[in-house]
Amino acid sequence: MATVELIDVRKSFSGTEVIHGIDAQIEDGEFIVIVGPSGCGKSTLLRLVAGLETISQGEVHINGSRVNDLEPMDRDIAMVFQNYALYPHMSVRQNMAYSLKIAGVSRPEINKKVEEAAELLELQDYLNRKPKQLSGGQRQRVAMGRAIVREPSVFLFDEPLSNLDAKLRVQMRLEIKELQTRLGITSLYVTHDQVEAMTMADRMIVMNEGVAEQIGTPLEVYQKPHTLFAAQFIGSPSMNAFDATVKGGEAVLESGVRIRCNCSFEGEAVIGLRPEHLIADENGPLRVNIHLAEPLGANTLLHGRLSQSRDPVIVSMAGVHSALGTEQNMRVSISPDNVHVFDKATSQRVASLKA
């Protein structure tokens, strides 16, 4: 078991900085998800921790020891990649045992560790098969088994589920989280999928263009996003955002529509309204012209535009509302407690009166 500390970690390629001073303290046994869009630097950050990239500035500490100058094999970490990285000519047993064999571990000890990992991952019946004889989920289990037998202090996962279909992704993310909880191994997990981040993370690092926009629990990021980017990236469907002028506890949209908000800030702002917080209300201040209903079973996403300004908006309603069709209008309201206010100049969250 181990702690991981990132101190002002920076990375530059050819003089261009791509990781801009990340600070994070990861506790023993914690499951941290690094989430963000493609090209935001999340995999680069993971590779800096692993030692696969050289740190340009700052320090990485594992279990209190600075590891900047250590080779990956000396950092007591194990990494699971997106493409499994299994040896195709070796059996499952041989793939899982290979790193232990290279390290000079005795054959009886290797067999014991492989058998234990296989039982944990329900791979006992596949130990003599080659990777090509396995499904995608089984291959990913083998890759995890290869990491587990090493008994590392830290697990590093680089988008391990990207090659799996949607149903298997759901199953595997539950299995990975359950396994990590059972083993208690500190883990860093990279993904672009905010649903994976929300369901798996103890805490998440929301990345954007090499910057950690916010570090916090999934509910902290969802309920009180620090920046407009974090607000719109976390949550599905994405948060609605409208330019407004805030004064006297009211947000006045460009169309003149007024929405109450619990905020002492005054000035130019962007207000964020989550689709699931918009409520059908015949007296609501917002008139929405619906042009598409997207039934998802448990809820329906209504896509449209504000009648007053033509700004795009999404409303999420519980249940099936397939009858709502093109050019149908509805009014919606929202509780002042659910209105998020961001300073337009900085995109930073403005504290509410109840914060």
Side-chain angles (χ1 to χ4, degrees):
M1 306 307 112
T3 58
V4 178
E5 186 176 9
L6 310 180
I7 305 172
D8 192 29
V9 172
R10 299 175 183 270
K11 176 62 180 177
S12 298
F13 291 106
S14 303
T16 301
E17 191 168 78
V18 296
I19 300 293
H20 306 287
I22 305 293
D23 291 286
Q25 177 69 49
I26 299 159
E27 302 300 328
D28 185 14
E30 201 171 16
F31 195 106
I32 296 291
V33 176
I34 306 171
V35 63
S38 297
C40 70
K42 55 188 183 294
S43 289
T44 299
L45 182 61
L46 193 76
R47 291 171 66 85
L48 292 173
V49 176
L52 300 176
E53 297 283 356
T54 304
I55 296 172
S56 301
Q57 184 178 320
E59 297 183 356
V60 173
H61 292 238
I62 296 179
N63 230 12
S65 299
R66 184 179 183 275
V67 298
N68 289 41
D69 302 320
L70 295 182
E71 294 295 325
M73 64 180 295
D74 298 321
R75 297 192 181 197
D76 197 17
I77 55 98
M79 196 160 182
V80 179
F81 296 93
Q82 176 181 343
N83 62 358
Y84 319 133
L86 301 177
Y87 296 107
H89 62 287
M90 292 185 181
S91 67
V92 169
R93 182 186 298 276
Q94 291 169 329
N95 266 284
M96 291 172 64
Y98 186 71
S99 61
L100 299 179
K101 181 180 177 182
I102 294 300
V105 178
S106 68
R107 184 180 295 275
E109 185 66 15
I110 291 175
N111 289 337
K112 178 185 175 184
K113 290 180 180 294
V114 169
E115 293 289 345
E116 288 175 348
E119 182 177 357
L120 190 65
L121 297 165
E122 299 182 357
L123 290 171
Q124 306 98 310
D125 297 334
Y126 306 100
L127 287 173
N128 295 320
R129 294 190 186 183
K130 300 288 180 61
K132 66 180 180 181
Q133 298 172 297
L134 304 176
S135 68
Q138 290 165 345
R139 292 181 195 181
Q140 194 56 269
R141 285 197 190 94
V142 176
M144 291 170 58
R146 184 176 53 191
I148 289 169
V149 297
R150 294 179 54 193
E151 298 180 354
S153 295
V154 181
F155 274 147
L156 303 177
F157 297 90
D158 190 6
E159 303 213 41
L161 308 183
S162 294
N163 292 333
L164 305 181
D165 62 60
K167 182 178 180 180
L168 192 53
R169 282 178 72 113
V170 173
Q171 177 186 335
M172 285 300 300
R173 73 178 182 229
L174 292 175
E175 289 184 11
I176 289 175
K177 179 59 179 176
E178 182 182 300
L179 180 65
Q180 186 271 341
T181 301
R182 196 184 316 166
L183 297 175
I185 297 177
T186 307
S187 299
L188 279 72
Y189 184 105
V190 162
T191 182
H192 64 273
D193 187 332
Q194 59 94 18
V195 175
E196 275 184 24
M198 288 290 289
T199 55
M200 297 179 73
D202 294 326
R203 287 189 300 149
M204 60 173 69
I205 301 174
V206 183
M207 295 281 294
N208 179 34
E209 296 183 349
V211 174
E213 295 269 339
Q214 185 170 355
I215 301 175
T217 68
L219 285 182
E220 285 172 350
V221 178
Y222 174 81
Q223 293 174 339
K224 292 187 177 180
H226 288 180
T227 67
L228 181 60
F229 174 86
Q232 293 192 293
F233 192 81
I234 298 300
S236 181
S238 181
M239 178 185 284
N240 299 297
F242 308 103
D243 289 337
T245 301
V246 176
K247 186 175 182 179
E250 275 192 329
V252 183
L253 276 59
E254 293 179 333
S255 61
V257 174
R258 296 175 178 271
I259 299 175
R260 290 177 53 229
C261 56
N262 287 326
C263 178
S264 60
F265 172 83
E266 296 192 351
E268 296 300 307
V270 176
I271 64 167
L273 313 177
R274 291 207 180 275
E276 57 271 28
H277 291 156
L278 293 172
I279 303 167
D281 179 355
E282 60 183 17
N283 297 315
L286 297 173
R287 294 198 313 271
V288 181
N289 181 244
I290 306 299
H291 60 74
L292 175 66
E294 188 179 6
L296 300 177
N299 66 313
T300 301
L301 301 183
L302 304 177
H303 299 263
R305 291 183 179 276
L306 292 183
S307 300
Q308 299 99 324
S309 65
R310 306 303 295 163
D311 287 326
V313 62
I314 301 175
V315 180
S316 178
M317 297 182 67
V320 178
H321 300 272
S322 57
L324 285 167
T326 305
E327 302 306 316
Q328 190 160 347
N329 292 299
M330 66 182 296
R331 281 184 174 271
V332 296
S333 63
I334 188 168
S335 166
D337 293 341
N338 290 327
V339 176
H340 301 265
V341 182
F342 303 91
D343 187 327
K344 188 173 182 178
T346 66
S347 292
Q348 297 293 309
R349 178 184 182 83
V350 176
S352 70
L353 294 175
K354 294 187 177 183

